[in-house]
Amino acid sequence: MIAVPKEHRPQKRFNRLIYFLPLGIALILGVALAKGLTLDPNTLPSALLGRQVPEFDLPPVKGRTQGLSSTDIRGEVSLVNVFASWCVACREEHPVFMKLARDGTVPLHGLNYKDQPDDAAEWLDSLGDPYTRTGADINGRVAIDWGVYGVPETFVVDAKGNIAYKHVGPVTEKVMAETILPRVEKLRNEASGAGTAEAPR
């Protein structure tokens, strides 16, 4: 039996660590990937959920008269939709918002993300403008403050100006009917109940 000199043993342990390191990294990545696959990409978490909307004040999209600011969003439950003329998925969800506007169910505000003024105006003029107010976020700074991952994204904002829900991706009729509008109704009921409780007798 050949004895291994003591000075060589640390090197041997180091070689073993090097051998098992790729396996350990692969296991960690596998666990992270498995966890990621269980998440619904349409309901990505937002650090702003439950918090006030960021302070901002944007001019209107070209051809519109009313811009969008954080003050405009307070006072009633509303939706804020992040859209762009170059966004294919935005075109998919647009008919849902046009119907929402016709029904007058809930105010819908548009945050136009990194768009050219003429392109945004032409897009709304040709497809229809469902928004109560629009804000032209040309450099994308406001969207970053909102924690936007990409377009489209839609936020439900309560009457106090707190972000109550965030939907990532195009809003379908099913999502609107089964997820967004029930939240709107719940928030309205909560606001109404709070107002009744605080009203003097």
Side-chain angles (χ1 to χ4, degrees):
M1 187 177 196
I2 301 175
V4 178
K6 290 183 179 180
E7 62 270 17
H8 291 172
R9 290 175 186 174
Q11 181 64 38
K12 187 175 183 180
R13 286 196 294 268
F14 178 76
N15 289 340
R16 287 179 179 174
L17 287 175
I18 293 296
Y19 178 78
F20 287 108
L21 185 61
L23 179 61
I25 293 174
L27 286 173
I28 293 172
L29 291 175
V31 171
L33 179 61
K35 184 177 180 181
L37 290 174
T38 64
L39 297 176
D40 183 351
N42 291 330
T43 56
L44 289 174
S46 171
L48 296 181
L49 287 180
R51 297 186 180 183
Q52 283 274 307
V53 299
E55 292 294 326
F56 70 97
D57 189 358
L58 290 172
V61 169
K62 184 177 181 180
R64 276 71 204 162
T65 58
Q66 297 190 97
L68 183 64
S69 70
S70 48
T71 304
D72 298 322
I73 299 174
R74 300 186 181 100
E76 62 180 335
V77 180
S78 62
L79 306 181
V80 175
N81 173 243
V82 185
F83 75 99
S85 66
W86 44 264
C87 164
V88 175
C90 297
R91 186 177 293 267
E92 295 175 10
E93 70 177 0
H94 201 72
V96 177
F97 291 136
M98 290 299 295
K99 182 179 184 303
L100 184 74
R102 288 193 299 270
D103 295 342
T105 309
V106 59
L108 172 67
H109 304 298
L111 185 63
N112 185 228
Y113 178 68
K114 288 188 175 182
D115 225 341
Q116 294 300 315
D118 288 338
D119 294 341
E122 182 181 355
W123 197 78
L124 291 175
D125 289 341
S126 60
L127 297 181
D129 186 350
Y131 303 111
T132 305
R133 290 175 173 271
T134 57
D137 186 19
I138 295 177
N139 61 13
R141 176 57 56 185
V142 172
I144 291 175
D145 292 341
W146 277 69
V148 170
Y149 291 97
V151 287
E153 291 189 12
T154 302
F155 297 82
V156 179
V157 182
D158 70 16
K160 295 180 181 179
N162 297 315
I163 296 175
Y165 177 73
K166 173 182 177 177
H167 179 84
V168 178
V171 173
T172 62
E173 291 185 3
K174 182 178 181 180
V175 168
M176 181 63 73
E178 298 181 5
T179 303
I180 292 179
L181 291 184
R183 279 179 165 81
V184 169
E185 188 63 25
K186 182 175 182 291
L187 291 171
R188 283 174 170 169
N189 290 338
E190 290 174 354
S192 177
T196 302
E198 296 172 2
R201 296 183 179 179

PDB file of all heavy atoms in Angstrom, residues 85-119:
ATOM      1  N   SER A  85     -47.299  50.959 -29.806  1.00  0.00           N
ATOM      2  CA  SER A  85     -47.748  50.663 -31.172  1.00  0.00           C
ATOM      3  C   SER A  85     -46.953  49.527 -31.795  1.00  0.00           C
ATOM      4  O   SER A  85     -47.448  48.826 -32.678  1.00  0.00           O
ATOM      5  CB  SER A  85     -47.621  51.927 -32.042  1.00  0.00           C
ATOM      6  OG  SER A  85     -46.257  52.295 -32.193  1.00  0.00           O
ATOM      7  N   TRP A  86     -45.711  49.336 -31.330  1.00  0.00           N
ATOM      8  CA  TRP A  86     -44.852  48.288 -31.891  1.00  0.00           C
ATOM      9  C   TRP A  86     -45.067  46.931 -31.217  1.00  0.00           C
ATOM     10  O   TRP A  86     -44.426  45.944 -31.575  1.00  0.00           O
ATOM     11  CB  TRP A  86     -43.382  48.683 -31.769  1.00  0.00           C
ATOM     12  CG  TRP A  86     -43.002  49.260 -30.428  1.00  0.00           C
ATOM     13  CD1 TRP A  86     -42.923  50.574 -30.098  1.00  0.00           C
ATOM     14  CD2 TRP A  86     -42.663  48.521 -29.253  1.00  0.00           C
ATOM     15  NE1 TRP A  86     -42.543  50.717 -28.778  1.00  0.00           N
ATOM     16  CE2 TRP A  86     -42.384  49.470 -28.237  1.00  0.00           C
ATOM     17  CE3 TRP A  86     -42.561  47.171 -28.940  1.00  0.00           C
ATOM     18  CZ2 TRP A  86     -42.009  49.100 -26.943  1.00  0.00           C
ATOM     19  CZ3 TRP A  86     -42.201  46.796 -27.656  1.00  0.00           C
ATOM     20  CH2 TRP A  86     -41.928  47.744 -26.672  1.00  0.00           C
ATOM     21  N   CYS A  87     -45.975  46.879 -30.260  1.00  0.00           N
ATOM     22  CA  CYS A  87     -46.223  45.671 -29.470  1.00  0.00           C
ATOM     23  C   CYS A  87     -47.329  44.832 -30.119  1.00  0.00           C
ATOM     24  O   CYS A  87     -48.483  45.249 -30.186  1.00  0.00           O
ATOM     25  CB  CYS A  87     -46.604  46.077 -28.040  1.00  0.00           C
ATOM     26  SG  CYS A  87     -47.365  44.793 -27.067  1.00  0.00           S
ATOM     27  N   VAL A  88     -46.971  43.633 -30.591  1.00  0.00           N
ATOM     28  CA  VAL A  88     -47.930  42.753 -31.263  1.00  0.00           C
ATOM     29  C   VAL A  88     -49.016  42.293 -30.287  1.00  0.00           C
ATOM     30  O   VAL A  88     -50.208  42.269 -30.622  1.00  0.00           O
ATOM     31  CB  VAL A  88     -47.213  41.530 -31.872  1.00  0.00           C
ATOM     32  CG1 VAL A  88     -48.219  40.559 -32.467  1.00  0.00           C
ATOM     33  CG2 VAL A  88     -46.205  41.971 -32.926  1.00  0.00           C
ATOM     34  N   ALA A  89     -48.629  41.935 -29.071  1.00  0.00           N
ATOM     35  CA  ALA A  89     -49.597  41.457 -28.077  1.00  0.00           C
ATOM     36  C   ALA A  89     -50.583  42.551 -27.671  1.00  0.00           C
ATOM     37  O   ALA A  89     -51.726  42.259 -27.295  1.00  0.00           O
ATOM     38  CB  ALA A  89     -48.864  40.922 -26.848  1.00  0.00           C
ATOM     39  N   CYS A  90     -50.154  43.806 -27.771  1.00  0.00           N
ATOM     40  CA  CYS A  90     -51.055  44.923 -27.447  1.00  0.00           C
ATOM     41  C   CYS A  90     -52.222  44.977 -28.439  1.00  0.00           C
ATOM     42  O   CYS A  90     -53.349  45.306 -28.079  1.00  0.00           O
ATOM     43  CB  CYS A  90     -50.299  46.246 -27.468  1.00  0.00           C
ATOM     44  SG  CYS A  90     -48.993  46.370 -26.228  1.00  0.00           S
ATOM     45  N   ARG A  91     -51.911  44.664 -29.680  1.00  0.00           N
ATOM     46  CA  ARG A  91     -52.951  44.637 -30.706  1.00  0.00           C
ATOM     47  C   ARG A  91     -53.956  43.513 -30.419  1.00  0.00           C
ATOM     48  O   ARG A  91     -55.149  43.662 -30.671  1.00  0.00           O
ATOM     49  CB  ARG A  91     -52.311  44.444 -32.081  1.00  0.00           C
ATOM     50  CG  ARG A  91     -53.261  44.531 -33.257  1.00  0.00           C
ATOM     51  CD  ARG A  91     -52.495  44.394 -34.569  1.00  0.00           C
ATOM     52  NE  ARG A  91     -51.623  45.529 -34.796  1.00  0.00           N
ATOM     53  CZ  ARG A  91     -51.972  46.601 -35.494  1.00  0.00           C
ATOM     54  NH1 ARG A  91     -53.188  46.681 -36.037  1.00  0.00           N
ATOM     55  NH2 ARG A  91     -51.126  47.590 -35.687  1.00  0.00           N
ATOM     56  N   GLU A  92     -53.475  42.398 -29.860  1.00  0.00           N
ATOM     57  CA  GLU A  92     -54.358  41.276 -29.538  1.00  0.00           C
ATOM     58  C   GLU A  92     -55.364  41.636 -28.456  1.00  0.00           C
ATOM     59  O   GLU A  92     -56.524  41.235 -28.512  1.00  0.00           O
ATOM     60  CB  GLU A  92     -53.513  40.083 -29.072  1.00  0.00           C
ATOM     61  CG  GLU A  92     -52.604  39.494 -30.130  1.00  0.00           C
ATOM     62  CD  GLU A  92     -51.721  38.402 -29.569  1.00  0.00           C
ATOM     63  OE1 GLU A  92     -51.956  37.971 -28.408  1.00  0.00           O
ATOM     64  OE2 GLU A  92     -50.790  37.961 -30.270  1.00  0.00           O
ATOM     65  N   GLU A  93     -54.937  42.383 -27.465  1.00  0.00           N
ATOM     66  CA  GLU A  93     -55.810  42.697 -26.337  1.00  0.00           C
ATOM     67  C   GLU A  93     -56.673  43.945 -26.573  1.00  0.00           C
ATOM     68  O   GLU A  93     -57.618  44.193 -25.829  1.00  0.00           O
ATOM     69  CB  GLU A  93     -54.988  42.895 -25.068  1.00  0.00           C
ATOM     70  CG  GLU A  93     -54.146  44.155 -25.054  1.00  0.00           C
ATOM     71  CD  GLU A  93     -53.378  44.369 -23.754  1.00  0.00           C
ATOM     72  OE1 GLU A  93     -53.496  43.526 -22.837  1.00  0.00           O
ATOM     73  OE2 GLU A  93     -52.658  45.383 -23.655  1.00  0.00           O
ATOM     74  N   HIS A  94     -56.356  44.703 -27.592  1.00  0.00           N
ATOM     75  CA  HIS A  94     -57.025  45.990 -27.809  1.00  0.00           C
ATOM     76  C   HIS A  94     -58.549  45.876 -27.931  1.00  0.00           C
ATOM     77  O   HIS A  94     -59.271  46.705 -27.356  1.00  0.00           O
ATOM     78  CB  HIS A  94     -56.433  46.695 -29.032  1.00  0.00           C
ATOM     79  CG  HIS A  94     -56.677  48.163 -29.045  1.00  0.00           C
ATOM     80  ND1 HIS A  94     -56.041  49.047 -28.204  1.00  0.00           N
ATOM     81  CD2 HIS A  94     -57.527  48.917 -29.807  1.00  0.00           C
ATOM     82  CE1 HIS A  94     -56.475  50.274 -28.432  1.00  0.00           C
ATOM     83  NE2 HIS A  94     -57.374  50.229 -29.398  1.00  0.00           N
ATOM     84  N   PRO A  95     -59.093  44.892 -28.650  1.00  0.00           N
ATOM     85  CA  PRO A  95     -60.551  44.771 -28.736  1.00  0.00           C
ATOM     86  C   PRO A  95     -61.218  44.580 -27.367  1.00  0.00           C
ATOM     87  O   PRO A  95     -62.347  45.039 -27.157  1.00  0.00           O
ATOM     88  CB  PRO A  95     -60.758  43.543 -29.625  1.00  0.00           C
ATOM     89  CG  PRO A  95     -59.527  43.467 -30.458  1.00  0.00           C
ATOM     90  CD  PRO A  95     -58.422  43.908 -29.553  1.00  0.00           C
ATOM     91  N   VAL A  96     -60.524  43.920 -26.444  1.00  0.00           N
ATOM     92  CA  VAL A  96     -61.069  43.736 -25.096  1.00  0.00           C
ATOM     93  C   VAL A  96     -61.216  45.085 -24.401  1.00  0.00           C
ATOM     94  O   VAL A  96     -62.222  45.360 -23.740  1.00  0.00           O
ATOM     95  CB  VAL A  96     -60.157  42.804 -24.268  1.00  0.00           C
ATOM     96  CG1 VAL A  96     -60.680  42.659 -22.835  1.00  0.00           C
ATOM     97  CG2 VAL A  96     -60.049  41.441 -24.932  1.00  0.00           C
ATOM     98  N   PHE A  97     -60.230  45.943 -24.593  1.00  0.00           N
ATOM     99  CA  PHE A  97     -60.287  47.261 -23.973  1.00  0.00           C
ATOM    100  C   PHE A  97     -61.296  48.173 -24.667  1.00  0.00           C
ATOM    101  O   PHE A  97     -61.920  49.025 -24.021  1.00  0.00           O
ATOM    102  CB  PHE A  97     -58.896  47.900 -23.972  1.00  0.00           C
ATOM    103  CG  PHE A  97     -57.929  47.227 -23.044  1.00  0.00           C
ATOM    104  CD1 PHE A  97     -56.632  46.961 -23.444  1.00  0.00           C
ATOM    105  CD2 PHE A  97     -58.317  46.838 -21.767  1.00  0.00           C
ATOM    106  CE1 PHE A  97     -55.745  46.339 -22.591  1.00  0.00           C
ATOM    107  CE2 PHE A  97     -57.428  46.206 -20.898  1.00  0.00           C
ATOM    108  CZ  PHE A  97     -56.140  45.970 -21.314  1.00  0.00           C
ATOM    109  N   MET A  98     -61.452  48.016 -25.957  1.00  0.00           N
ATOM    110  CA  MET A  98     -62.458  48.806 -26.662  1.00  0.00           C
ATOM    111  C   MET A  98     -63.864  48.459 -26.149  1.00  0.00           C
ATOM    112  O   MET A  98     -64.699  49.338 -25.946  1.00  0.00           O
ATOM    113  CB  MET A  98     -62.366  48.561 -28.172  1.00  0.00           C
ATOM    114  CG  MET A  98     -61.121  49.148 -28.827  1.00  0.00           C
ATOM    115  SD  MET A  98     -61.009  50.957 -28.666  1.00  0.00           S
ATOM    116  CE  MET A  98     -62.440  51.458 -29.649  1.00  0.00           C
ATOM    117  N   LYS A  99     -64.111  47.185 -25.913  1.00  0.00           N
ATOM    118  CA  LYS A  99     -65.399  46.762 -25.364  1.00  0.00           C
ATOM    119  C   LYS A  99     -65.581  47.304 -23.952  1.00  0.00           C
ATOM    120  O   LYS A  99     -66.673  47.753 -23.571  1.00  0.00           O
ATOM    121  CB  LYS A  99     -65.490  45.226 -25.354  1.00  0.00           C
ATOM    122  CG  LYS A  99     -66.822  44.685 -24.840  1.00  0.00           C
ATOM    123  CD  LYS A  99     -66.852  43.164 -24.882  1.00  0.00           C
ATOM    124  CE  LYS A  99     -68.219  42.631 -24.468  1.00  0.00           C
ATOM    125  NZ  LYS A  99     -68.637  43.071 -23.130  1.00  0.00           N
ATOM    126  N   LEU A 100     -64.514  47.259 -23.170  1.00  0.00           N
ATOM    127  CA  LEU A 100     -64.565  47.790 -21.810  1.00  0.00           C
ATOM    128  C   LEU A 100     -64.930  49.269 -21.821  1.00  0.00           C
ATOM    129  O   LEU A 100     -65.741  49.732 -21.009  1.00  0.00           O
ATOM    130  CB  LEU A 100     -63.203  47.598 -21.133  1.00  0.00           C
ATOM    131  CG  LEU A 100     -63.105  48.003 -19.668  1.00  0.00           C
ATOM    132  CD1 LEU A 100     -63.805  46.978 -18.783  1.00  0.00           C
ATOM    133  CD2 LEU A 100     -61.638  48.142 -19.248  1.00  0.00           C
ATOM    134  N   ALA A 101     -64.361  50.014 -22.767  1.00  0.00           N
ATOM    135  CA  ALA A 101     -64.648  51.438 -22.879  1.00  0.00           C
ATOM    136  C   ALA A 101     -66.098  51.680 -23.290  1.00  0.00           C
ATOM    137  O   ALA A 101     -66.760  52.591 -22.776  1.00  0.00           O
ATOM    138  CB  ALA A 101     -63.690  52.091 -23.875  1.00  0.00           C
ATOM    139  N   ARG A 102     -66.600  50.879 -24.221  1.00  0.00           N
ATOM    140  CA  ARG A 102     -67.993  51.029 -24.657  1.00  0.00           C
ATOM    141  C   ARG A 102     -68.961  50.752 -23.507  1.00  0.00           C
ATOM    142  O   ARG A 102     -69.973  51.435 -23.357  1.00  0.00           O
ATOM    143  CB  ARG A 102     -68.292  50.089 -25.833  1.00  0.00           C
ATOM    144  CG  ARG A 102     -67.651  50.493 -27.135  1.00  0.00           C
ATOM    145  CD  ARG A 102     -68.238  49.716 -28.305  1.00  0.00           C
ATOM    146  NE  ARG A 102     -68.027  48.279 -28.179  1.00  0.00           N
ATOM    147  CZ  ARG A 102     -66.964  47.637 -28.654  1.00  0.00           C
ATOM    148  NH1 ARG A 102     -66.012  48.312 -29.278  1.00  0.00           N
ATOM    149  NH2 ARG A 102     -66.855  46.330 -28.514  1.00  0.00           N
ATOM    150  N   ASP A 103     -68.636  49.745 -22.696  1.00  0.00           N
ATOM    151  CA  ASP A 103     -69.509  49.392 -21.580  1.00  0.00           C
ATOM    152  C   ASP A 103     -69.403  50.378 -20.422  1.00  0.00           C
ATOM    153  O   ASP A 103     -70.308  50.448 -19.581  1.00  0.00           O
ATOM    154  CB  ASP A 103     -69.170  47.983 -21.065  1.00  0.00           C
ATOM    155  CG  ASP A 103     -69.456  46.903 -22.111  1.00  0.00           C
ATOM    156  OD1 ASP A 103     -70.210  47.199 -23.058  1.00  0.00           O
ATOM    157  OD2 ASP A 103     -68.925  45.791 -21.971  1.00  0.00           O
ATOM    158  N   GLY A 104     -68.301  51.110 -20.374  1.00  0.00           N
ATOM    159  CA  GLY A 104     -68.110  52.080 -19.294  1.00  0.00           C
ATOM    160  C   GLY A 104     -67.974  51.423 -17.935  1.00  0.00           C
ATOM    161  O   GLY A 104     -68.345  52.009 -16.908  1.00  0.00           O
ATOM    162  N   THR A 105     -67.420  50.216 -17.897  1.00  0.00           N
ATOM    163  CA  THR A 105     -67.351  49.441 -16.660  1.00  0.00           C
ATOM    164  C   THR A 105     -66.390  50.031 -15.648  1.00  0.00           C
ATOM    165  O   THR A 105     -66.691  50.131 -14.453  1.00  0.00           O
ATOM    166  CB  THR A 105     -66.922  47.983 -16.968  1.00  0.00           C
ATOM    167  OG1 THR A 105     -67.754  47.470 -18.006  1.00  0.00           O
ATOM    168  CG2 THR A 105     -67.042  47.115 -15.738  1.00  0.00           C
ATOM    169  N   VAL A 106     -65.219  50.426 -16.105  1.00  0.00           N
ATOM    170  CA  VAL A 106     -64.188  50.963 -15.208  1.00  0.00           C
ATOM    171  C   VAL A 106     -63.271  51.871 -16.020  1.00  0.00           C
ATOM    172  O   VAL A 106     -63.006  51.596 -17.195  1.00  0.00           O
ATOM    173  CB  VAL A 106     -63.384  49.802 -14.557  1.00  0.00           C
ATOM    174  CG1 VAL A 106     -62.716  48.941 -15.623  1.00  0.00           C
ATOM    175  CG2 VAL A 106     -62.362  50.321 -13.569  1.00  0.00           C
ATOM    176  N   PRO A 107     -62.812  52.994 -15.439  1.00  0.00           N
ATOM    177  CA  PRO A 107     -61.888  53.864 -16.165  1.00  0.00           C
ATOM    178  C   PRO A 107     -60.608  53.115 -16.531  1.00  0.00           C
ATOM    179  O   PRO A 107     -60.041  52.379 -15.719  1.00  0.00           O
ATOM    180  CB  PRO A 107     -61.588  54.983 -15.164  1.00  0.00           C
ATOM    181  CG  PRO A 107     -62.749  54.985 -14.234  1.00  0.00           C
ATOM    182  CD  PRO A 107     -63.176  53.552 -14.120  1.00  0.00           C
ATOM    183  N   LEU A 108     -60.162  53.302 -17.770  1.00  0.00           N
ATOM    184  CA  LEU A 108     -58.945  52.677 -18.262  1.00  0.00           C
ATOM    185  C   LEU A 108     -57.998  53.769 -18.735  1.00  0.00           C
ATOM    186  O   LEU A 108     -58.340  54.569 -19.600  1.00  0.00           O
ATOM    187  CB  LEU A 108     -59.274  51.727 -19.420  1.00  0.00           C
ATOM    188  CG  LEU A 108     -58.086  51.135 -20.184  1.00  0.00           C
ATOM    189  CD1 LEU A 108     -57.290  50.193 -19.293  1.00  0.00           C
ATOM    190  CD2 LEU A 108     -58.561  50.423 -21.444  1.00  0.00           C
ATOM    191  N   HIS A 109     -56.813  53.801 -18.141  1.00  0.00           N
ATOM    192  CA  HIS A 109     -55.805  54.783 -18.521  1.00  0.00           C
ATOM    193  C   HIS A 109     -54.675  54.079 -19.263  1.00  0.00           C
ATOM    194  O   HIS A 109     -54.347  52.926 -18.971  1.00  0.00           O
ATOM    195  CB  HIS A 109     -55.250  55.497 -17.287  1.00  0.00           C
ATOM    196  CG  HIS A 109     -56.291  56.155 -16.452  1.00  0.00           C
ATOM    197  ND1 HIS A 109     -57.094  57.170 -16.927  1.00  0.00           N
ATOM    198  CD2 HIS A 109     -56.700  55.913 -15.166  1.00  0.00           C
ATOM    199  CE1 HIS A 109     -57.930  57.561 -15.970  1.00  0.00           C
ATOM    200  NE2 HIS A 109     -57.715  56.804 -14.904  1.00  0.00           N
ATOM    201  N   GLY A 110     -54.080  54.772 -20.220  1.00  0.00           N
ATOM    202  CA  GLY A 110     -53.022  54.181 -21.035  1.00  0.00           C
ATOM    203  C   GLY A 110     -51.669  54.801 -20.758  1.00  0.00           C
ATOM    204  O   GLY A 110     -51.529  56.026 -20.742  1.00  0.00           O
ATOM    205  N   LEU A 111     -50.674  53.961 -20.526  1.00  0.00           N
ATOM    206  CA  LEU A 111     -49.296  54.398 -20.370  1.00  0.00           C
ATOM    207  C   LEU A 111     -48.538  53.944 -21.614  1.00  0.00           C
ATOM    208  O   LEU A 111     -48.239  52.761 -21.782  1.00  0.00           O
ATOM    209  CB  LEU A 111     -48.687  53.781 -19.100  1.00  0.00           C
ATOM    210  CG  LEU A 111     -47.278  54.215 -18.706  1.00  0.00           C
ATOM    211  CD1 LEU A 111     -47.245  55.712 -18.398  1.00  0.00           C
ATOM    212  CD2 LEU A 111     -46.797  53.420 -17.505  1.00  0.00           C
ATOM    213  N   ASN A 112     -48.267  54.891 -22.507  1.00  0.00           N
ATOM    214  CA  ASN A 112     -47.646  54.572 -23.794  1.00  0.00           C
ATOM    215  C   ASN A 112     -46.133  54.487 -23.627  1.00  0.00           C
ATOM    216  O   ASN A 112     -45.472  55.483 -23.330  1.00  0.00           O
ATOM    217  CB  ASN A 112     -48.023  55.639 -24.824  1.00  0.00           C
ATOM    218  CG  ASN A 112     -47.516  55.318 -26.205  1.00  0.00           C
ATOM    219  OD1 ASN A 112     -46.936  56.158 -26.872  1.00  0.00           O
ATOM    220  ND2 ASN A 112     -47.717  54.093 -26.668  1.00  0.00           N
ATOM    221  N   TYR A 113     -45.601  53.288 -23.856  1.00  0.00           N
ATOM    222  CA  TYR A 113     -44.219  52.974 -23.494  1.00  0.00           C
ATOM    223  C   TYR A 113     -43.251  53.045 -24.687  1.00  0.00           C
ATOM    224  O   TYR A 113     -43.418  52.343 -25.682  1.00  0.00           O
ATOM    225  CB  TYR A 113     -44.194  51.567 -22.889  1.00  0.00           C
ATOM    226  CG  TYR A 113     -42.844  51.042 -22.503  1.00  0.00           C
ATOM    227  CD1 TYR A 113     -42.127  51.595 -21.446  1.00  0.00           C
ATOM    228  CD2 TYR A 113     -42.286  49.958 -23.182  1.00  0.00           C
ATOM    229  CE1 TYR A 113     -40.901  51.095 -21.074  1.00  0.00           C
ATOM    230  CE2 TYR A 113     -41.043  49.443 -22.820  1.00  0.00           C
ATOM    231  CZ  TYR A 113     -40.360  50.016 -21.766  1.00  0.00           C
ATOM    232  OH  TYR A 113     -39.143  49.503 -21.407  1.00  0.00           O
ATOM    233  N   LYS A 114     -42.261  53.923 -24.569  1.00  0.00           N
ATOM    234  CA  LYS A 114     -41.167  54.032 -25.555  1.00  0.00           C
ATOM    235  C   LYS A 114     -41.677  54.022 -26.991  1.00  0.00           C
ATOM    236  O   LYS A 114     -41.222  53.234 -27.824  1.00  0.00           O
ATOM    237  CB  LYS A 114     -40.155  52.903 -25.337  1.00  0.00           C
ATOM    238  CG  LYS A 114     -39.306  53.071 -24.093  1.00  0.00           C
ATOM    239  CD  LYS A 114     -38.190  52.040 -24.039  1.00  0.00           C
ATOM    240  CE  LYS A 114     -37.272  52.292 -22.860  1.00  0.00           C
ATOM    241  NZ  LYS A 114     -36.139  51.341 -22.792  1.00  0.00           N
ATOM    242  N   ASP A 115     -42.598  54.914 -27.282  1.00  0.00           N
ATOM    243  CA  ASP A 115     -43.206  54.988 -28.604  1.00  0.00           C
ATOM    244  C   ASP A 115     -42.876  56.313 -29.266  1.00  0.00           C
ATOM    245  O   ASP A 115     -42.684  57.332 -28.582  1.00  0.00           O
ATOM    246  CB  ASP A 115     -44.730  54.852 -28.472  1.00  0.00           C
ATOM    247  CG  ASP A 115     -45.317  53.900 -29.500  1.00  0.00           C
ATOM    248  OD1 ASP A 115     -44.641  53.629 -30.513  1.00  0.00           O
ATOM    249  OD2 ASP A 115     -46.444  53.434 -29.298  1.00  0.00           O
ATOM    250  N   GLN A 116     -42.849  56.307 -30.584  1.00  0.00           N
ATOM    251  CA  GLN A 116     -42.735  57.555 -31.321  1.00  0.00           C
ATOM    252  C   GLN A 116     -44.104  58.241 -31.328  1.00  0.00           C
ATOM    253  O   GLN A 116     -45.124  57.568 -31.528  1.00  0.00           O
ATOM    254  CB  GLN A 116     -42.263  57.292 -32.753  1.00  0.00           C
ATOM    255  CG  GLN A 116     -40.849  56.740 -32.845  1.00  0.00           C
ATOM    256  CD  GLN A 116     -39.823  57.678 -32.258  1.00  0.00           C
ATOM    257  OE1 GLN A 116     -39.849  58.888 -32.516  1.00  0.00           O
ATOM    258  NE2 GLN A 116     -38.927  57.145 -31.438  1.00  0.00           N
ATOM    259  N   PRO A 117     -44.161  59.542 -31.103  1.00  0.00           N
ATOM    260  CA  PRO A 117     -45.446  60.236 -31.010  1.00  0.00           C
ATOM    261  C   PRO A 117     -46.385  59.978 -32.187  1.00  0.00           C
ATOM    262  O   PRO A 117     -47.576  59.709 -31.995  1.00  0.00           O
ATOM    263  CB  PRO A 117     -45.039  61.715 -30.931  1.00  0.00           C
ATOM    264  CG  PRO A 117     -43.681  61.683 -30.290  1.00  0.00           C
ATOM    265  CD  PRO A 117     -43.024  60.441 -30.825  1.00  0.00           C
ATOM    266  N   ASP A 118     -45.851  60.047 -33.406  1.00  0.00           N
ATOM    267  CA  ASP A 118     -46.698  59.832 -34.583  1.00  0.00           C
ATOM    268  C   ASP A 118     -47.206  58.396 -34.647  1.00  0.00           C
ATOM    269  O   ASP A 118     -48.362  58.151 -35.022  1.00  0.00           O
ATOM    270  CB  ASP A 118     -45.918  60.159 -35.866  1.00  0.00           C
ATOM    271  CG  ASP A 118     -45.688  61.654 -36.030  1.00  0.00           C
ATOM    272  OD1 ASP A 118     -46.443  62.449 -35.422  1.00  0.00           O
ATOM    273  OD2 ASP A 118     -44.753  62.031 -36.775  1.00  0.00           O
ATOM    274  N   ASP A 119     -46.369  57.449 -34.285  1.00  0.00           N
ATOM    275  CA  ASP A 119     -46.766  56.032 -34.316  1.00  0.00           C
ATOM    276  C   ASP A 119     -47.861  55.746 -33.303  1.00  0.00           C
ATOM    277  O   ASP A 119     -48.834  55.031 -33.604  1.00  0.00           O
ATOM    278  CB  ASP A 119     -45.553  55.135 -34.038  1.00  0.00           C
ATOM    279  CG  ASP A 119     -44.507  55.206 -35.132  1.00  0.00           C
ATOM    280  OD1 ASP A 119     -44.841  55.645 -36.249  1.00  0.00           O
ATOM    281  OD2 ASP A 119     -43.347  54.824 -34.874  1.00  0.00           O
TER     282      ASP A 119
END
